[in-house]
Amino acid sequence: SQQGEEDPQALSIQEGENATMNCSYKTSINNLQWYRQNSGRGLVHLILIRSNEREKHSGRLRVTLDTSKKSSSLLITASRAADTASYFCATESGSRLTFGEGTQLTVNP
Amino acid sequence: GAGVSQSPSNKVTEKGKDVELRCDPISGHTALYWYRQSLGQGLEFLIYFQGNSAPDKSGLPSDRFSAERTGGSVSTLTIQRTQQEDSAVYLCASSLEGGMGTEAFFGQGTRLTVV
């Protein structure tokens, strides 16, 4: 079974709007990472937040982590059509990197 | 190399045949992961190698699946007596050191189709 679960499974928004995706996990973690996948092939790393951090920013990305609730959120501000992709959270517990089911984001021009 | 390289990029095989999938990780990366992804689904963990430690094989779905990593570099994932449910994209990733919060770099995957 997957460690992380994202919601929503699918999200469709208009260009310029913000997109928020959530991730919940089950066990204690060292860190949590977000990845993006285009067209069902290789994933690209977006951002990493460590277990002792609560919020992190990178460009239009904002990630929060609440270890008490075992959850994280990824906010993409001022979305663009090029942001259309699948987004996955991944938790690192011990040495294994485990991925959730992903959120399919569609940004309409 | 510049990135993680996987070969072949596509493989069509007949049910019952064996297949070998190859992964060349980024030079110097000690951690190597194999995942499987069915259409529209998440990544299913298969196996993890870290340096010279015994691999974490707990994700391998059956004894038809095996993987090796020779010399701490190239890895091959072997599927014996392939079944139609083995059809998926097989993704390989490497990172500088597993468990230390370093990002994983993915290859473009091998799309396996069993007919």
Side-chain angles (χ1 to χ4, degrees):
Chain A
S1 64
Q2 298 296 321
Q3 158 78 313
E5 295 181 2
E6 285 96 334
D7 81 88
Q9 289 186 329
L11 179 62
S12 182
I13 59 175
Q14 295 301 121
E15 208 164 25
E17 293 180 339
N18 296 340
T20 300
M21 290 161 272
N22 303 297
C23 168
S24 60
Y25 57 91
K26 297 172 185 172
T27 65
S28 61
I29 59 172
N30 303 331
N31 61 74
L32 187 145
Q33 305 178 35
W34 284 90
Y35 288 78
R36 167 193 168 128
Q37 183 182 41
N38 284 43
S39 307
R41 288 292 187 152
L43 280 72
V44 175
H45 181 265
L46 295 176
I47 193 166
L48 177 150
I49 185 164
R50 300 192 185 279
S51 59
N52 61 353
E53 297 177 310
R54 293 296 169 258
E55 187 171 313
K56 202 159 184 182
H57 297 253
S58 176
R60 294 185 295 114
L61 305 180
R62 173 179 168 248
V63 169
T64 62
L65 179 64
D66 187 334
T67 53
S68 66
K69 295 181 180 177
K70 292 186 167 59
S71 67
S72 173
S73 67
L74 171 67
L75 169 69
I76 304 175
T77 60
S79 64
R80 305 167 182 168
D83 294 330
T84 295
S86 292
Y87 292 82
F88 294 87
C89 69
T91 51
E92 195 163 40
S93 179
S95 53
R96 183 191 289 201
L97 188 62
T98 306
F99 287 80
E101 295 294 320
T103 293
Q104 171 61 49
L105 173 67
T106 302
V107 181
N108 302 299
Chain B
V4 177
S5 177
Q6 291 188 246
S7 61
S9 53
N10 289 283
K11 175 73 176 178
V12 179
T13 190
E14 291 181 353
K15 179 181 171 182
K17 294 280 179 70
D18 298 351
V19 294
E20 263 193 12
L21 312 181
R22 178 187 169 104
C23 174
D24 279 275
I26 293 173
S27 178
H29 280 194
T30 63
L32 187 148
Y33 309 82
W34 282 99
Y35 296 90
R36 177 169 72 173
Q37 186 178 32
S38 300
L39 188 63
Q41 303 297 310
L43 275 70
E44 177 189 3
F45 169 81
L46 297 177
I47 189 169
Y48 163 71
F49 296 89
Q50 172 60 56
N52 295 321
S53 302
D56 177 354
K57 302 180 180 182
S58 59
L60 295 178
S62 78
D63 59 8
R64 295 187 295 106
F65 287 72
S66 62
E68 289 186 343
R69 188 178 185 191
T70 53
S73 181
V74 172
S75 177
T76 55
L77 176 69
T78 302
I79 309 173
Q80 295 178 311
R81 305 180 303 282
T82 52
Q83 303 294 313
Q84 287 186 328
E85 61 261 29
D86 299 335
S87 296
V89 175
Y90 288 81
L91 292 162
C92 174
S94 71
S95 68
L96 199 56
E97 189 170 358
M100 300 300 290
T102 56
E103 72 175 275
F105 293 82
F106 279 80
Q108 289 303 298
T110 294
R111 185 180 300 279
L112 176 66
T113 305
V114 182
V115 298

